[in-house]
Amino acid sequence: MRATRIVFCALFALGAACLSPAASASPAASAGQNAFTLSSGAFADGGLMPKVHECTSGGGHDPAKKNESPPLAWSGAPAAAKSYAIVMRDLDNANLIHWVIYDIPATTASLPQNVQHVYRPPVPAGSRQVYYRGSASLYGYQGPCSPSTVNTYEFVVHALDQTSLTGLNSGSSTQAAARAITAASIGSARITGES
């Protein structure tokens, strides 16, 4: 009887040891699959942004520069997300904010190229953009404007715990919008582009 018990215990321990690596690997694998990620069809993370996304207000007359926002797509967002917001910054110019779009519906998982330069763009429906005051004065996206240097631009998508940032309006600053977005964020993903 004692011998049977020892064999059983040995088999049980062996079985637990064999199962242990698979069991511990499984959560990590599923966590990796569900990671919140952001990407663009226009450039790879850390890659060169096409000229079409550069600003048109730098004094040059390059017809390739059109100040069009890049296409963006995200996946793996927190299930509790009620809306999304995107903030773009120039990391090499004191984190200057170049674009804020928010109140993006929770059913949306991408932005097309060239979101219209208006407070309430038709696509994505329901979203709002902040007025950019700088080398240009417009609603929405202001592309890279660094002709003599190569700067790094960061795009961050935030999953928010609110369907609408009601404290913001058409006169809100980029800084105020970024603070409101950070306060409501329950998760974020980022990519960078060089220009």
Side-chain angles (χ1 to χ4, degrees):
M1 182 68 152
R2 185 170 179 213
T4 305
R5 184 179 296 166
I6 291 171
V7 170
F8 177 77
C9 289
L11 288 173
F12 178 79
L14 180 63
C18 290
L19 290 175
S20 180
S24 64
S26 180
S30 63
Q33 291 171 352
N34 294 329
F36 193 10
T37 60
L38 177 64
S39 63
S40 176
F43 58 93
D45 186 18
L48 194 63
M49 296 173 62
K51 281 193 173 290
V52 69
H53 305 302
E54 291 185 5
C55 76
T56 53
S57 58
H61 299 288
D62 185 343
K65 297 180 179 180
K66 299 183 188 260
N67 204 39
E68 294 183 0
S69 61
L72 297 170
W74 54 93
S75 62
K82 295 183 178 177
S83 70
Y84 298 102
I86 292 173
V87 179
M88 172 194 174
R89 298 176 189 268
D90 181 347
L91 299 184
D92 294 312
N93 187 13
N95 288 327
L96 178 68
I97 299 172
H98 274 245
W99 185 27
V100 178
I101 181 169
Y102 61 99
D103 286 3
I104 301 169
T107 53
T108 302
S110 65
L111 294 183
Q113 181 167 316
N114 199 23
V115 173
Q116 194 172 333
H117 290 274
V118 293
Y119 174 53
R120 292 184 181 271
V123 178
S127 64
R128 296 187 282 166
Q129 299 185 105
V130 175
Y131 194 76
Y132 177 87
R133 296 166 177 84
S135 54
S137 294
L138 45 72
Y139 279 104
Y141 178 83
Q142 171 64 357
C145 285
S146 49
S148 59
T149 61
V150 175
N151 288 11
T152 299
Y153 295 84
E154 177 189 62
F155 297 80
V156 179
V157 60
H158 292 270
L160 306 184
D161 63 3
Q162 303 170 31
T163 54
S164 179
L165 296 177
T166 55
L168 301 177
N169 57 47
S170 61
S172 297
S173 69
T174 55
Q175 292 83 6
R179 284 193 298 270
I181 289 165
T182 299
S185 181
I186 56 173
S188 64
R190 68 187 286 273
I191 60 168
T192 61
E194 303 287 314
S195 181

